[in-house]
Structure formats: C-alpha cells, structure tokens
Amino acid sequence: MLTAKSILKELPASFPVELELGGTKYQILSVLRFLAGRRIVLHASNESGEFVLKLFAAQGKGQQEYQRELKAHQHCSQADIAVAPILQHADDQQGISFIIYAFLPKAVTLNALSEETFPLTVLFDLFGRCHQNQCYQQDPHLDNFVFSNNTLYLLDLASVVCPKKPLKMTTCLNNLARLMAQFPLEQQEWLLNGLPAYFAARNMVLDPMVEQQLLGKIKKARDYRQAHYLKKQFRSCTMTRYRKSLMLEAALRGNLSVSLADQPLTVLNQAMQDGISLKKGNSATVVKSELAGQQVVIKRYNMKTPWHFLRRCLRKSRANVSWYNANLLEFLGIATPQPLGFVEQRFFGLRHKAYFICKHIAGRSLADLSDSEIQQPQMLQQISDLFEQLHLHHIYHGDLKATNWLVDNQQKIWLIDLDAMQQITKTGFKRLHKQDQQRFLRNWPVGETRHLLTKAIKA
C-alpha cells in the first residue's frame, strides 16, 4: 500500500493502487493533477463512493496552498459561488495535509465542451459574481471550471485570491483578460458577444473604452499564457515528465514516460529496428513503430560526421525544436500529430543523437493526392484555413513542400516536419510568409490546380 507522502514525490507506474488517508483506505483510480513534491489531485473510490483527494506537502508552498484552499472554499461558500463540498481535511499528517472533496456527478470541464454547447454567459456571470464578491480565480484555465447538474463549479481554490478590499477595475480586467486568453484567437469575436453578461452580473454597463482596454490586456495575457505553456513542456508537470542530466535530456508524455523510464535510448533504437521505415537519410531516419501500446512515428536526428557533431552539439537539437514547435501548434489549435516526447543522447552535456516521437496518423501526403482531390472545395478550404492560421499567429514553417502536409483517411490535413519552424515575433514575417506560400505553390506546375491554390492561400 502506498503512503500519501510517497505518491506526492513520485507517481506509481500503474493504476489503480491502494492508499490510506485519514484512517480510510481508497483505491486511487487516476491522477487529475500533479506537481511533484508539492501537491497532487487524485480521483479515488471505496465502498462509500467516489471522491477527489487533494494532497499537499505540509511545508513550504504546499502548506501555503492548503491554507489558501480552505480559506477560498469558505469565502466562496459564503458568497454563494458553487464549489464542491469538503468532506474532510487535516493539517500535517506525517508530512502531508489533505482535503477530501465530494465527487461531482457527471462533471465535465469547460475544456471538453464545443462552442455550440459552451455556457459562455454562465461563465461570464460567474466571473462577474466572483469579482463583485471580492475574489477571483488567478489561474482561470478551462479545466478549473466544471459543469455538474447544470451548475458551474469553481475548482483549484488554492489559486483563488480573496482580498479584504473591493477589487479594482484594473485587477478585474486583467483577470478577465486571462480568462479570455484561454480561448483560440479565432474565437475572440464570439467571446466579446458574451461579455455583457459579466457586466450585468456586476450591475454595470459595458463601456466601449473599457472594452478597448480589455483587448490590449487580452493580447498580453495570450503571450504570457503561451510562454508559460511551452515552458511547462520542459519540466515535470501533470502532462509531461522531464529529466535532464549530463548524459540524457528527455520530455515524455503519458505512458511513454513509463515505457522509456529505464534505458530509453535502448528502447527507442529497438523500436526503430522493429518498425517500418518511412525515410532513410544521413541526417534523419524516420520509422513507424509501436511504443506503450500505441502507433508512433520516431524521427532520429543523426550526427553525420565529427564535424557535424561539433557544429550541433551546443545548439538545441532538432528533436528539441520539433517538440517545442509541435506543442506550440497544438496549443494554437493548428493540426499536427500529437507530440509524445523527445530524447537527447548527451556526452557530458554535449548533444549527440536525438529522437522526436509523435502519434502516428494514417494517411497520404498532399503530394500523393490527384489534382481532382486537391481541387475539392473542402480540401481547398482546409488549405486556406491553415495558411490563415499560420498568418494569424506569425508562424513560418520553413519547408512547406507537399510531402509535409499529411492528409488522413477522413481528409483532414495535418502539418508535419517542424524542425525548421519559427514563430516570428519581430519584423520580417510578411517576407517569410511569402516564402512559405511560394515554396508551397512550387509543388504544382502552372495550371488549374496551382491557380486554385494560389487563390485559396491569397498568394
């Protein structure tokens, strides 16, 4: 049986596992959130039902979060803001403080809802009532709100701030901007349409000057959120397991972190030997294989010569860059095969071979499609939308040949081969975007297909 202190330090290899907490035994079904050594949130059950267990280190930041959680829960309950009931809590039990919450039935996070079913006015109303009652969720990502029995609940109460004085409008707008930055940039107009519900909850009217202030704050919040998300891909958190030493650097998701826990280079090389070759080259080798029970693509970046090693050993590996860029595209909602991890072989900190692993998508490249298939309105619209997204987010791919566009069996397009990609934050993007357009169009000779593609991408 696990102890609460041990599970806070290191996750078990598989679930369910048994845990005793506060004199009661639980079956731990899954990890909902995890910050190693500080806090962990668990979905658990026993003969009495289902629960959410939240464990905190009983010192430092963990203990501070435990105290904030209890304070915010009391504040929200008194203000009639929906929060899950606390069934039990205890302070410093053998190095662990804990809170046991009732499990909300049929709960679904806002992140899991489509735009058609999203309760936008309910969310803005909740934010308005929070601000009116002198509290705000300073980490307002969509997984911190759940719908259960037609009620919107606030989660992660350790991140809820409850000052003693009424909130300043600047504080409220900053918090509102952080919420709206959780949504894709393409949905901003839709969000603004729901904004009056926030001001109605505060008995106020939306002022055009205030809306302009808010738009500027949303831009800053988006930039911050993206940078924070990408930094998380290079440290251990709920999504990613990261490690770095003089001989290895790796970031892995999900089951891969277990499969590659011991001797990752040996496991990857064996998987490549057992897999199906997709590309053989001096600088990169690509195979389709199986890891942790799923079909994956492994791209190994090789060192061709000692001189090549000397030129590359101090720079970020192309696997590292691919991992970063794939997470960036995933964050922005631009279709790319799901990134699963990267592994770098090192010699006393100097980079050598490196591996990028992503989910395998069955399909053909755009180069393999016939002219009639490419000329289909749905296909042209997807290509147009993808170029529009690249333009909107200032993404320069750097190698938009037709073989780097993957079309799956449902005719959805995925962008691949991201090791030259950059997000251009300074001047010069217009010229580079034009290069991407020209490189893309060179895949087809002058004719009807090229003409339609030129119109689609507004080249």
Side-chain angles (χ1 to χ4, degrees), residues 390-391 393-398 422-437:
L390 295 177
H391 183 269
H393 296 289
H394 281 214
I395 301 292
Y396 167 62
H397 184 277
Q422 301 174 59
Q423 186 172 39
I424 309 301
T425 56
K426 298 180 181 179
T427 57
F429 172 72
K430 187 175 181 180
R431 173 180 58 82
L432 292 173
H433 186 65
K434 194 72 176 176
Q435 288 181 14
D436 265 350
Q437 291 175 319

Side-chain angles (χ1 to χ4, degrees), residues 20 68 85 101 105 126 195 216 390:
E20 184 175 339
R68 287 203 304 268
Y101 282 102
L126 174 61
L195 197 56
L390 295 177

Side-chain angles (χ1 to χ4, degrees), residues 152-428:
L152 186 60
Y153 286 83
L154 191 59
L155 300 185
D156 193 13
L157 301 184
S159 298
V160 173
V161 179
C162 307
K164 295 179 180 179
K165 297 180 180 179
L167 300 177
K168 294 180 180 179
M169 181 54 76
T170 299
T171 302
C172 295
L173 291 180
N174 284 336
N175 187 230
L176 202 54
R178 290 193 70 179
L179 169 69
M180 297 174 76
Q182 309 297 314
F183 296 82
L185 185 56
E186 306 90 272
Q187 291 184 319
Q188 185 156 294
E189 206 58 45
W190 170 71
L191 286 171
L192 293 175
N193 290 334
L195 197 56
Y198 167 83
F199 288 92
R202 303 195 64 186
N203 299 313
M204 300 168 65
V205 178
L206 175 57
D207 185 323
M209 292 290 290
V210 172
E211 184 173 355
Q212 286 302 310
Q213 289 180 47
L214 181 61
L215 289 174
K217 292 178 181 294
I218 293 171
K219 170 65 169 63
K220 290 181 180 179
R222 285 189 190 283
D223 292 344
Y224 173 83
R225 181 171 174 260
Q226 177 182 302
H228 178 68
Y229 178 85
L230 293 173
K231 282 181 182 178
K232 285 173 62 177
Q233 308 314 315
F234 294 89
R235 63 175 173 84
S236 288
C237 59
T238 306
M239 180 186 293
T240 307
R241 301 292 174 268
Y242 177 75
R243 55 177 160 155
K244 184 177 181 180
S245 69
L246 289 175
M247 307 306 289
L248 186 83
E249 182 177 6
L252 299 164
R253 282 191 188 176
N255 292 337
L256 282 194
S257 62
V258 178
S259 299
L260 301 181
D262 298 320
Q263 299 183 321
L265 297 171
T266 302
V267 175
L268 283 170
N269 284 324
Q270 186 61 52
M272 294 190 72
Q273 286 184 20
D274 297 339
I276 300 170
S277 176
L278 301 179
K279 175 185 176 182
K280 290 183 179 179
N282 288 331
S283 60
T285 306
V286 186
V287 302
K288 171 191 170 186
S289 191
E290 184 175 313
L291 279 174
Q294 58 187 318
Q295 295 294 311
V296 301
V297 171
I298 306 171
K299 187 170 187 178
R300 183 180 67 208
Y301 294 94
N302 308 310
M303 293 297 181
K304 295 181 288 187
T305 63
W307 174 240
H308 187 215
F309 168 74
L310 290 174
R311 285 194 297 115
R312 299 287 317 186
C313 66
L314 294 177
R315 297 162 57 185
K316 287 183 179 179
S317 70
R318 290 193 288 163
N320 181 306
V321 173
S322 294
W323 167 252
Y324 178 95
N325 285 334
N327 276 284
L328 172 61
L329 292 189
E330 191 175 56
F331 174 83
L332 296 174
I334 299 174
T336 192
Q338 183 186 14
L340 300 175
F342 83 94
V343 177
E344 283 181 0
Q345 181 183 9
R346 292 178 161 217
F347 290 111
F348 299 100
L350 301 177
R351 295 173 174 87
H352 199 260
K353 290 179 182 177
Y355 305 75
F356 172 64
I357 309 116
C358 66
K359 183 178 179 181
H360 175 258
I361 303 291
R364 299 176 291 164
S365 78
L366 204 59
D368 295 326
L369 268 60
S370 65
D371 283 351
S372 61
E373 289 176 300
I374 294 173
Q375 290 174 20
Q376 291 296 315
Q378 181 187 9
M379 188 63 62
L380 291 170
Q381 187 61 52
Q382 279 196 81
I383 293 169
S384 175
D385 290 346
L386 205 151
F387 266 97
E388 186 64 32
Q389 285 179 299
L390 295 177
H391 183 269
L392 184 65
H393 296 289
H394 281 214
I395 301 292
Y396 167 62
H397 184 277
D399 191 15
L400 276 184
K401 55 191 178 186
T403 52
N404 286 335
W405 299 65
L406 182 64
V407 183
D408 70 17
N409 297 331
Q410 285 72 48
Q411 302 304 296
K412 178 179 178 178
I413 295 177
W414 306 76
L415 201 57
I416 61 174
D417 203 3
L418 310 178
D419 51 44
M421 195 185 92
Q422 301 174 59
Q423 186 172 39
I424 309 301
T425 56
K426 298 180 181 179
T427 57

